[in-house]
Amino acid sequence: MSDGIEVEQLVESKPRRMPLATSLEKDSIREAYEDVRSDLTDTEWAVFKFDGAQIIVHARGQCFEEFRQQFGDSERAFGYIRIQMGDEMSKRKKFIFLTWIGQEVGVIQRAKMSTDKALIKDVLNNFAVELQAGVEAELDIELFREALNRAGGANYGTGIRDN
């Protein structure tokens, strides 16, 4: 009879809730992406967060310090940022795509980030460097610049020779 009891216990257990598929607010995300890329606006960054199972535009701005403040320990998010690179002879704008997974994010939500990232990269598809961060110390403008320099190839210096 122990088999009958086990079967009854299985029937009474509650089904597991499956996570919903992620969707995008594609038009507003594309508009924020183009705003960051545009030379006609002062917008330097955009942050995209989860509203339930949907990725939305959370914030946009100009100051790197404001960008840093958009990410929390219990959050998953994406960032897109424009950084001025070069020297006095050659200035150019470079773009970074950032995936943020805070330290308090659970295992299942962490695992979903790979498929969620693929969705948003269909819209945010032009960048020089892709980074992942999870602690505030990794949100450092100098670390971002170093990553862009490494990805950029040749670095020609200042254009001033020491004689």
Side-chain angles (χ1 to χ4, degrees):
M1 277 309 221
S2 67
D3 287 340
I5 293 170
E6 288 176 24
V7 170
E8 284 179 33
Q9 288 173 343
L10 288 175
V11 171
E12 289 178 16
S13 69
K14 294 184 179 180
R16 292 179 124 186
R17 223 174 41 138
M18 296 302 291
L20 298 172
T22 303
S23 64
L24 299 174
E25 249 184 27
K26 206 170 205 169
D27 291 339
S28 62
I29 290 171
R30 180 168 303 284
E31 193 267 323
Y33 164 74
E34 289 171 358
D35 187 24
V36 172
R37 293 195 58 80
S38 175
D39 290 333
L40 303 176
T41 72
D42 292 333
T43 305
E44 292 180 359
W45 56 264
V47 172
F48 311 94
K49 290 189 177 181
F50 292 82
D51 182 12
Q54 186 175 42
I55 301 171
I56 63 167
V57 177
H58 173 74
R60 293 189 237 188
Q62 287 111 18
C63 170
F64 187 80
E65 192 55 40
E66 287 177 26
F67 177 77
R68 290 183 79 224
Q69 294 171 5
Q70 302 302 313
F71 304 96
D73 287 341
S74 61
E75 294 181 306
R76 301 179 306 143
F78 301 100
Y80 189 72
I81 185 166
R82 172 176 62 190
I83 297 177
Q84 178 91 15
M85 296 295 291
D87 54 36
E88 66 282 351
M89 298 176 71
S90 172
K91 302 253 187 246
R92 59 206 170 277
K93 292 175 176 65
K94 296 289 184 175
F95 300 88
I96 291 179
F97 173 70
L98 174 74
T99 300
W100 172 266
I101 305 173
Q103 295 297 295
E104 296 173 14
V105 173
V107 175
I108 292 173
Q109 295 300 326
R110 285 178 181 275
K112 279 187 66 63
M113 282 301 277
S114 63
T115 55
D116 295 343
K117 179 171 31 172
L119 285 173
I120 198 161
K121 282 173 71 174
D122 280 343
V123 180
L124 312 179
N125 54 20
N126 194 338
F127 48 87
V129 172
E130 178 177 339
L131 298 175
Q132 181 167 329
V135 295
E136 191 176 331
E138 295 171 326
L139 299 174
D140 182 306
I141 189 69
E142 292 310 315
L143 292 176
F144 285 25
R145 288 184 190 282
E146 287 172 22
L148 286 168
N149 276 330
R150 283 192 307 274
N155 293 307
Y156 296 106
T158 65
I160 299 172
R161 293 182 186 218
D162 293 332
N163 289 342

